[in-house]
């Protein structure tokens, strides 16, 4: 069974809400402030990214394009070396330790992506995390996947633009290590993601292909309409990026949620959960009583004398439905009345012989 800390994913468990701060902090202080945003919003967890740009990027000049929101609320496309973007996400180990302690103090789950085996060790053995996310670009990094799986913790598999067979291979490799604690993410590419690239119907496909694991949605689009749709399709975890300022000139800020929006986002997901209700029609007695007012019951349309038979010419089917229900008419037809009944009387079972 898939679980993060004490949260168990089941068909009836609430959506696990993750707010992502990995690409939007600029050091320990802002990271802590984003933890506060996530906690105040009511999220279950906050996600970060362990990053060592020097180690990860062999070519420091690889360009990367993304969109930013200017102070005039205009959208502008910019490009810079990917190395520079990733470099801004780095923090020393002692800062990560302090940040994890801060999350524990705030009682919000902390987890992170890991790019290297020693980062997995640091997260699990030193920080004590119970879930690690595999970056979508590492869906084919089989040795890293195997190493993560051997830790016997929750593995969140980000699928990005992976082929189905690559996802199946990664899941099979995790299972081969005796680890069945897996979450599979649909994560559309793009910063922000284009509507044509989101393919929310893949949630249904992934649920069918991997019925034993919860399916998650990592959102890179503005607003939260896509998250609501994902939850409606059965996503059991949603991940949305937060920022302290949408106008920050860096990747992922423009489509991230600011403090005042994060709470609305969480509340919207919780409202959708309530509205989705049960998979079968279950009504409390209060609702059953209310619906009778809009339904019909049997009324007498002309006076009947004691002992007379009731036929269609003696009745109307009118609201409210607090008397004998209209669908019980076959059991009333041709029955005799035990007293004289006036016109417009709502017929009762006690009126019949």
């Amino acid at each position: 069974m898939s679980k993060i800390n004490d949260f168990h994913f089941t068909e009836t468990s609430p959506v696990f809400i993750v707010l992502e701060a990995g690409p939007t902090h600029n050091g320990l202080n802002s990271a802590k402030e984003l933890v506060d945003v996530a906690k105040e919003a009511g999220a279950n967890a906050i996600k970060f990214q362990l990053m060592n740009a020097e180690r990860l990027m062999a070519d420091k000049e690889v360009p990367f394009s993304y969109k930013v929101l200017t102070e005039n609320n205009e959208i502008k496309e910019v490009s810079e070396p990917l190395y520079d973007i990733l470099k801004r996400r780095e923090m020393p180990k002692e800062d990560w330790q302090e940040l994890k302690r801060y999350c524990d103090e705030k009682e919000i789950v902390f987890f992170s992506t890991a790019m290297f085996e020693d980062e997995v060790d640091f997260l699990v053995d030193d920080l004590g995390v119970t879930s690690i996310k595999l970056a979508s670009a590492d869906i084919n990094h089989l040795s890293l996947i195997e190493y993560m799986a051997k830790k016997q913790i929750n593995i969140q598999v980000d699928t990005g633009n992976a082929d189905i067979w690559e996802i199946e291979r990664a899941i099979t490799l995790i299972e081969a290590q005796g680890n069945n604690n897996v979450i599979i993410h649909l994560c559309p590419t793009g910063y922000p993601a284009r509507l044509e690239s989101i393919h929310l119907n893949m949630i249904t496909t992934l649920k069918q292909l991997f019925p034993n694991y919860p399916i998650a949605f990592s959102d890179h689009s503005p607003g939260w309409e896509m998250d609501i749709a994902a939850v409606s399709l059965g996503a059991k975890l949603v991940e949305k990026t937060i920022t302290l300022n949408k106008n920050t000139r860096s990747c992922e800020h423009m489509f991230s949620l600011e403090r005042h929006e994060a709470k609305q986002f969480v509340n919207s997901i919780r409202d959708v959960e309530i509205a989705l209700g049960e998979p079968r029609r279950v009504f409390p007695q209060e609702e059953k009583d209310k619906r009778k007012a809009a339904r019909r019951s049997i009324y007498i349309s002309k006076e009947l004398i004691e002992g007379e038979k009731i036929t269609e010419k003696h009745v109307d089917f009118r609201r409210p439905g607090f008397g004998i229900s209209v669908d019980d008419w076959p059991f009333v037809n041709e029955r005799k009345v035990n007293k004289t009944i006036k016109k417009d009387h709502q017929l009762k079972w006690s009126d019949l012989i």
Side-chain angles (χ1 to χ4, degrees), residues 29-156:
N29 290 336
S30 65
K32 283 185 173 181
E33 193 170 349
L34 288 166
V35 170
D36 293 338
V37 171
K39 179 63 179 180
E40 291 165 10
N44 298 95
I46 186 164
K47 175 186 169 287
F48 289 92
Q49 302 172 5
L50 287 194
M51 187 58 61
N52 185 327
E54 186 77 26
R55 187 179 180 189
L56 185 64
M57 297 297 299
D59 183 349
K60 297 179 178 56
E61 300 303 322
V62 174
F64 189 85
S65 297
Y66 58 90
K67 293 180 180 178
V68 297
L69 190 66
T70 69
E71 293 293 339
N72 297 324
N73 288 325
E74 297 176 348
I75 297 175
K76 180 180 178 181
E77 184 157 332
V78 298
S79 181
E80 63 176 317
L82 180 58
Y83 172 85
D84 293 346
I85 296 171
L86 300 181
K87 189 70 178 175
R88 293 195 288 269
R89 303 177 186 181
E90 293 183 359
M91 288 202 306
K93 282 189 174 182
E94 53 268 24
D95 284 357
W96 287 116
Q97 291 166 335
E98 171 60 19
L99 185 60
K100 173 58 164 59
R101 184 202 62 77
Y102 189 73
C103 289
D104 292 344
E105 178 184 300
K106 293 292 182 177
E107 297 183 333
I108 187 168
V109 175
F110 168 99
F111 68 89
S112 173
T113 53
M115 305 292 181
F116 298 96
E117 293 180 3
D118 60 314
E119 292 180 348
V120 174
D121 291 337
F122 175 66
L123 287 169
V124 178
D125 301 334
D126 293 356
L127 299 188
V129 302
T130 63
S131 179
I132 291 181
K133 193 171 185 186
L134 175 77
S136 59
D138 287 330
I139 193 71
N140 65 339
H141 194 337
L142 304 187
S143 61
L144 179 63
I145 294 171
E146 184 177 37
Y147 194 83
M148 286 182 176
K150 286 179 178 178
K151 290 290 185 178
Q152 300 303 319
I153 61 167
N154 175 260
I155 309 297
Q156 298 189 47

Side-chain angles (χ1 to χ4, degrees), residues 23-24 63-71 73-80 82 85 88-89 189-197 220-222 241 243 245-256:
T24 53
F64 189 85
S65 297
Y66 58 90
K67 293 180 180 178
V68 297
L69 190 66
T70 69
E71 293 293 339
N73 288 325
E74 297 176 348
I75 297 175
K76 180 180 178 181
E77 184 157 332
V78 298
S79 181
E80 63 176 317
L82 180 58
I85 296 171
R88 293 195 288 269
R89 303 177 186 181
T189 57
Y191 299 94
R194 295 176 298 106
L195 290 177
E196 308 84 50
S197 72
H220 287 161
S221 65
T241 312
T243 180
N245 186 348
K246 287 179 185 286
N247 300 119
T248 302
R249 187 184 170 89
S250 190
C251 186
E252 299 197 37
H253 286 271
M254 71 156 286
F255 58 80
S256 300

Side-chain angles (χ1 to χ4, degrees), residues 287-299 316-328 346-349:
E287 287 294 320
K288 292 181 180 180
D289 292 339
K290 283 183 178 179
R291 73 184 181 186
K292 287 183 179 180
R295 294 191 175 187
R296 304 193 196 198
S297 53
I298 301 171
Y299 282 79
D316 282 329
F317 303 117
R318 303 166 65 187
R319 296 177 181 177
F322 299 128
I324 300 176
S325 176
V326 64
D327 55 3
D328 283 328
Q346 186 186 70
L347 194 66
K348 310 291 184 185
W349 289 111

